[in-house]
Amino acid sequence: MSIKTKLSAIIFGAVLLILALNLTFNLYAAQNNLRNENANNMQITAMQMAVSVEQSNYSSNYVEYQIAHNLRMAAIFASKELGPDYKNITNAQLKALTSKLGVSNISILVKTDNDIVVTKASNPIDIGMSTQGWGYWYLALLELFDNQEVTVGQGQSLDHFWSGPFEYSTYNPDFIEKWGYYHDEESNYIINPVILNTAASEYIEITNPDQIVERTKEVNPGILELTGFNPTTFGLASMAGDGSDAFKKKLGNRPIKFGTYTYGNVE
């Protein structure tokens, strides 16, 4: 092979190598840029979602306070109608008051030696219910009976009154209710009105972060899933592969706060 031929082959090979390296570098750069752009877009979407959820929580807290205030007014009116001694109260009276006050249920809670028990109720199924295993709800009731300001750090605390956060209905998990607890110093019981579950559920449906998730996915089809994790309960042994947990069903302790976990991997 002549020198001229060898030189041409070397030049040709060098050009091919340079072109191959250039193409590889361009592909790598384009792929890296796309990856970074996707990561930035996901970060922006997550930040926008966080702001939307924060605003939703702010609105929810405001409305919860207003509902708690209405529950307190209803409880005060009911306590004046019922008198100071729970022994003189009948279930029929409580049933009649639910319609008058526009609430779904009214219960009477009485303190025993080691518990706080429902003794009278507009819904007979509540009678005899113990509250000792209710966690901070039970602590709040104890403080009310001691004529103290409720300090559990959850719900809304007003004068002689406390209302727990929105929670799933005891009787129908498809609905969300709000409970209020009022103790008059002259009475020997706590009166517990419950807001109409349909009203609470409709409000939750409007402000639910899941609605924000669905709207975000609708306007950006490239987003397959948006998930809000509860760092306290996510990944526990009792959690299923879809993020649900048979032992963590309450609004405040579900592993998935909002969104879905279809594409997730627990491990």
Side-chain angles (χ1 to χ4, degrees):
M1 183 180 294
S2 65
I3 295 177
K4 184 178 180 180
T5 303
K6 290 181 179 180
L7 184 61
S8 297
I10 292 172
I11 294 174
F12 180 74
V15 170
L16 283 180
L17 179 61
I18 292 172
L19 289 175
L21 290 174
N22 184 64
L23 180 60
T24 302
F25 176 78
N26 286 336
L27 287 174
Y28 174 80
Q31 186 182 44
N32 193 54
N33 288 337
L34 286 173
R35 185 182 292 110
N36 290 337
E37 183 179 355
N38 282 334
N40 290 334
N41 288 339
M42 285 192 290
Q43 184 178 14
I44 291 172
T45 301
M47 293 173 65
Q48 290 174 337
M49 185 68 193
V51 171
S52 298
V53 171
E54 185 177 355
Q55 292 175 337
S56 174
N57 287 339
Y58 178 82
S59 299
S60 178
N61 290 336
Y62 176 79
V63 173
E64 279 205 63
Y65 179 84
Q66 296 302 317
I67 295 177
H69 182 77
N70 292 339
L71 283 172
R72 181 176 181 273
M73 294 297 101
I76 292 175
F77 178 85
S79 68
K80 295 186 182 302
E81 290 269 321
L82 298 172
D85 190 352
Y86 74 90
K87 295 178 182 178
N88 298 326
I89 299 173
T90 66
N91 297 327
Q93 282 180 290
L94 298 177
K95 185 68 175 177
L97 277 175
T98 59
S99 300
K100 184 182 293 187
L101 298 176
V103 295
S104 58
N105 191 22
I106 298 179
S107 300
I108 299 299
L109 289 83
V110 176
K111 187 177 181 181
T112 64
D113 291 338
N114 59 358
D115 201 353
I116 297 174
V117 181
V118 176
T119 58
K120 305 288 178 68
S122 59
N123 189 340
I125 197 172
D126 287 341
I127 299 175
M129 182 184 298
S130 168
T131 65
Q132 196 174 48
W134 287 11
Y136 69 82
W137 291 65
Y138 181 69
L139 298 178
L141 297 178
L142 288 175
E143 290 183 324
L144 284 176
F145 268 118
D146 290 338
N147 298 317
Q148 299 176 5
E149 180 182 354
V150 175
T151 59
V152 296
Q154 300 285 342
Q156 296 76 42
S157 178
L158 302 171
D159 187 29
H160 296 286
F161 176 87
W162 179 76
S163 178
F166 281 129
E167 191 50 83
Y168 287 113
S169 169
T170 305
Y171 313 107
N172 190 343
D174 293 331
F175 292 101
I176 292 174
E177 296 182 329
K178 187 167 178 63
W179 290 260
Y181 302 90
Y182 174 77
H183 179 242
D184 189 323
E185 293 182 0
E186 297 179 358
S187 66
N188 57 6
Y189 61 88
I190 285 177
I191 185 166
N192 165 219
V194 184
I195 196 69
L196 285 170
N197 52 18
T198 52
S201 298
E202 288 170 0
Y203 171 74
I204 287 291
E205 186 69 20
I206 294 172
T207 60
N208 196 332
D210 284 318
Q211 298 297 318
I212 303 174
V213 168
E214 291 305 315
R215 290 196 294 268
T216 301
K217 290 164 66 177
E218 286 175 4
V219 300
N220 192 340
I223 297 177
L224 299 179
E225 190 168 56
L226 275 168
T227 310
F229 299 105
N230 186 337
T232 304
T233 58
F234 180 83
L236 298 180
S238 55
M239 192 182 93
D242 62 354
S244 62
D245 192 324
F247 300 99
K248 306 291 182 182
K249 296 181 179 181
K250 300 295 185 182
L251 287 174
N253 64 7
R254 293 183 300 176
I256 302 300
K257 299 288 287 186
F258 57 83
T260 57
Y261 197 58
T262 305
Y263 296 94
N265 183 299
V266 177
E267 294 180 358

